[in-house]
């Protein structure tokens, strides 16, 4: 039930930020937060949606502090709904508590609003 960054996590993010600046300055950086599927019991989070969101938000803020422009950062969250491993073991649950980074070409996949209009939505 934690979303805070450890010292090791901050050092890792400093390295990631350096790599982003060197190799992906022209891309948006999506940061996805994930949790295991265990219900929230003893933390301040309402549910795993909130916890996953807090994880990715803390990472996005840290990347901003490490010099990644805020307009390059996108905070996203999948909560417990896209597990990497089965939640049936402690090891699997640990692997599901994570953040993932994606460097995406800016405006790739953007739908032109004019083509997205359906009947009656002009």
């Amino acid at each position: 039930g934690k979303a805070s960054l450890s010292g090791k996590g901050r050092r890792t993010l400093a390295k990631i930020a350096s790599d982003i600046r060197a190799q992906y300055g022209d891309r948006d950086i999506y940061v996805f937060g994930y949790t295991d599927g265990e219900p929230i019991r003893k933390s301040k989070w309402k549910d795993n949606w909130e916890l996953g969101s807090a994880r990715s938000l803390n990472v996005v803020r840290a990347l901003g502090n490490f010099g990644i422009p805020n307009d390059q950062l996108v905070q996203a969250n999948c909560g417990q709904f896209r597990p990497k491993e089965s939640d049936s073991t402690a090891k699997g649950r640990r692997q599901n508590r994570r953040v993932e980074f994606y460097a995406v070409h800016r405006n790739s996949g953007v739908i032109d609003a004019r083509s997205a209009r359906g009947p009656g939505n002009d």
Side-chain angles (χ1 to χ4, degrees):
K2 296 179 184 174
S4 59
L5 293 171
S6 65
K8 181 180 177 184
R10 288 197 182 283
R11 289 187 297 276
T12 300
L13 283 178
K15 170 79 170 90
I16 289 170
S18 176
D19 291 345
I20 290 169
R21 285 191 306 274
Q23 299 176 36
Y24 303 105
D26 63 335
R27 298 185 189 186
D28 286 331
I29 306 301
Y30 285 68
V31 180
F32 283 82
Y34 297 87
T35 69
D36 62 31
E38 295 292 305
I40 299 294
R41 290 190 183 97
K42 296 181 181 179
S43 69
K44 64 182 180 179
W45 314 112
K46 179 180 175 183
D47 54 26
N48 281 317
W49 275 117
E50 198 171 276
L51 174 56
S53 182
R55 285 182 177 157
S56 58
L57 182 58
N58 284 342
V59 169
V60 161
R61 286 180 173 152
L63 289 173
N65 290 336
F66 287 125
I68 304 303
N70 288 327
D71 68 348
Q72 189 179 356
L73 295 168
V74 179
Q75 182 259 345
N77 170 35
C78 294
Q80 75 270 24
F81 297 107
R82 294 189 183 188
K84 186 175 184 176
E85 297 294 331
S86 170
D87 268 344
S88 62
T89 67
K91 180 181 177 186
R93 288 188 297 276
R94 277 192 307 274
Q95 291 181 342
N96 291 334
R97 297 177 210 127
R98 67 195 191 279
V99 293
E100 291 180 351
F101 303 85
Y102 296 89
V104 178
H105 288 285
R106 192 162 285 199
N107 297 323
S108 65
V110 173
I111 298 172
D112 183 340
R114 291 169 295 183
S115 65
R117 290 188 193 124
N121 292 329
D122 292 327

